[in-house]
Amino acid sequence: MFNTLLKVFFTLLFLISCTNNNSVSKLSMSDFGKMPNGEIIKKFKISNANGISVEVINYGAIITNLFVPDSSGLIKDIVLGFNDFNSYYQNNPYFGAIVGRYGNRISNGTFLLDDVKYELKKNNGPNSLHGGLVGFDKVFWKFIEQKSDNQSLYFEYHSKHMEEGFPGNLVVGVEYSLNDSNELKIKYTASTDKKTIINLTQHSYFNLSGESSGDILDHVLNINAAYYLPVNENMIPHGPYEKVESTPFDFNNPKKIGLDIFVDDIQLKIGNGYDHCFVLDNIDGKLKKIGSVESPVTGIKMDIITDQPGIQLYTGNFLDGSLESKEKKQYEKHSGFCLETQHFPNSPNQKEYPSVILNKGEVYNTETIYKFSY
Ligand code: BGC
């Protein structure tokens, strides 16, 4: 009862503030930092009519803040990140970033395309991870204003032929939009002038209880996937899909992330927690809801809707308390979780996985939606 009253109160307060400035969905921007070469990093913000707002910078197209009201109407920032640009520039474990040209690992940093062997920059033991040494998370993206729509942000990046070892000049676009159905939509497009490979994803670390609130082990997760991809010691999938049934990887019925995370399981040991790709049910390239997560503390729930074949669940296993949160606490292990919609790791070397090849003349076009309720 008290909660309902509070919710009504905050909604009224919010509606009054909207009538006053009449600009709920207005795009705003501010300076956030400067690259060593002088390029100015700006922070852009869009909001919807229900009090949700998202802030993005033109470095890595990084989502720095995502504000969502909880079940009592209090606004929570539900993504991990930093308050200042230097922290993103110097030591960001991919918080909020667009990851590419190839999300996740490519074994030994090599692959064959039309019998030509490509050698990528290796940045993860023997592997190339998330695009190599300077992936799309570490570059300046051009912000292009969408005149007709003040609830979306569009960023573009031109990746050069052989950048990090990938063939083809690639033009990549990412559009973030926020609608009044509480959907944060991420639309990716790309085209190339030469056959290449591509696998883009969004690497936000979520904590639906609030970014500085501790671990996410109590969050209740559902993933509609009968199979997942077990990995070897180098975190490369063995190949074949394996059933999740009777393993800690079964999230078909919603369960707490922490319920099985510490059980004696070789895959959880290798991953130091969950760090695995799930093979989503009914892969057909169409947008569908494939899972959801909910915080029992705030009641904030996030549905995941995607057209991608896989999702990487990463439970912040390498966070070790050395990074300071936005509220000046430490990001300890499991302070956030990532649900990265994508193609399967190492697909260029696994002919049986869905193809990640982009040909000249084709348009890469994919979409993922995080939808919030509270
Ligand atoms: C990978 C992890 C990696 C992390 C980096 C995830 O997508 O699966 O292995 O450590 O990104 O933040």
Side-chain angles (χ1 to χ4, degrees):
M1 180 63 187
F2 181 67
N3 272 356
T4 321
L5 279 176
L6 258 183
K7 206 170 175 176
V8 170
F9 173 74
F10 278 106
T11 312
L12 279 175
L13 207 68
F14 183 74
L15 287 176
I16 291 166
S17 77
C18 298
T19 6
N20 281 348
N21 62 21
N22 202 18
S23 61
V24 187
S25 58
K26 203 167 186 305
L27 162 75
S28 67
M29 62 178 102
S30 54
D31 283 356
F32 191 59
K34 206 190 247 185
M35 300 273 279
N37 66 2
E39 277 169 323
I40 302 290
I41 302 303
K42 289 197 179 285
K43 190 187 253 196
F44 303 84
K45 178 177 181 172
I46 45 174
S47 321
N48 78 355
N50 307 316
I52 299 185
S53 58
V54 60
E55 299 184 359
V56 183
I57 55 174
N58 54 345
Y59 174 76
I62 290 173
I63 295 179
T64 56
N65 305 74
L66 176 52
F67 297 102
V68 177
D70 72 7
S71 54
S72 64
L74 288 173
I75 305 284
K76 298 277 178 191
D77 186 350
I78 57 156
V79 290
L80 276 55
F82 306 112
N83 292 324
D84 64 299
F85 174 62
N86 276 347
S87 301
Y88 282 106
Y89 189 74
Q90 278 157 13
N91 190 19
N92 179 17
Y94 303 95
F95 283 165
I98 292 296
V99 160
R101 187 177 299 202
Y102 197 92
N104 212 280
R105 293 172 177 81
I106 295 182
S107 178
N108 294 316
T110 65
F111 66 98
L112 282 178
L113 205 52
D114 291 342
D115 297 329
V116 177
K117 186 175 179 184
Y118 290 95
E119 303 262 1
L120 304 173
K121 293 275 164 58
K122 296 175 184 173
N123 60 334
N124 178 253
N127 307 316
S128 165
L129 171 68
H130 294 336
L133 289 170
V134 186
F136 295 176
D137 59 298
K138 296 181 186 63
V139 297
F140 181 90
W141 289 67
K142 187 172 179 201
F143 171 71
I144 300 175
E145 194 163 352
Q146 309 290 286
K147 293 262 181 289
S148 57
D149 182 356
N150 54 14
Q151 273 181 291
S152 73
L153 300 170
Y154 177 78
F155 298 91
E156 204 169 272
Y157 176 63
H158 292 215
S159 169
K160 294 227 159 52
H161 173 58
M162 297 317 283
E163 187 176 298
E164 298 296 302
F166 294 98
N169 289 296
L170 189 77
V171 178
V172 192
V174 170
E175 183 192 75
Y176 293 108
S177 63
L178 195 55
N179 62 23
D180 293 339
S181 305
N182 297 342
E183 293 177 331
L184 171 62
K185 281 192 194 180
I186 308 157
K187 282 190 188 173
Y188 307 84
T189 49
S191 55
T192 179
D193 63 356
K194 186 176 163 55
K195 193 173 189 174
T196 190
I197 58 165
I198 185 166
N199 185 29
L200 304 179
T201 190
Q202 222 297 330
H203 207 293
S204 282
Y205 289 58
F206 296 95
N207 186 327
L208 304 182
S209 303
E211 58 88 26
S212 291
S213 68
D215 70 56
I216 45 75
L217 299 178
D218 62 350
H219 283 44
V220 178
L221 172 66
N222 158 236
I223 301 178
N224 300 333
Y227 296 90
Y228 80 114
L229 300 174
V231 291
N232 67 20
E233 298 294 329
N234 286 327
M235 294 294 293
I236 300 292
H238 297 305
Y241 305 168
E242 266 182 37
K243 283 204 165 115
V244 297
E245 200 181 344
S246 307
T247 77
F249 293 83
D250 191 350
F251 287 95
N252 285 292
N253 292 315
K255 74 172 180 193
K256 287 194 170 164
I257 293 178
L259 187 70
D260 295 329
I261 200 169
F262 302 116
V263 303
D264 189 13
D265 176 274
I266 180 68
Q267 285 299 317
L268 290 171
K269 278 209 179 77
I270 296 176
N272 195 20
Y274 292 103
D275 192 356
H276 295 79
C277 191
F278 289 74
V279 178
L280 295 170
D281 292 344
N282 310 315
I283 299 172
D284 58 8
K286 299 209 176 95
L287 263 184
K288 62 178 83 65
K289 181 178 160 193
I290 57 87
S292 62
V293 203
E294 184 168 1
S295 157
V297 177
T298 56
I300 295 176
K301 184 174 177 196
M302 180 172 90
D303 292 335
I304 300 118
I305 299 150
T306 191
D307 55 16
Q308 289 292 283
I311 194 162
Q312 182 85 8
L313 168 62
Y314 171 60
T315 45
N317 312 327
F318 298 110
L319 297 174
D320 59 5
S322 59
L323 299 175
E324 192 176 75
S325 79
K326 290 177 239 177
E327 287 180 14
K328 307 230 172 296
K329 293 185 180 156
Q330 307 313 124
Y331 286 132
E332 304 286 351
K333 190 170 179 182
H334 307 316
S335 299
F337 65 87
C338 304
L339 280 168
E340 305 154 60
T341 55
Q342 56 186 240
H343 271 254
F344 306 154
N346 200 33
S347 294
N349 295 309
Q350 294 281 3
K351 296 291 164 263
E352 67 276 25
Y353 289 176
S355 170
V356 289
I357 292 174
L358 182 68
N359 290 298
K360 181 179 175 181
E362 284 175 356
V363 179
Y364 171 88
N365 214 327
T366 112
E367 187 171 337
T368 289
I369 301 172
Y370 296 113
K371 182 177 166 105
F372 300 96
S373 48
Y374 38 87

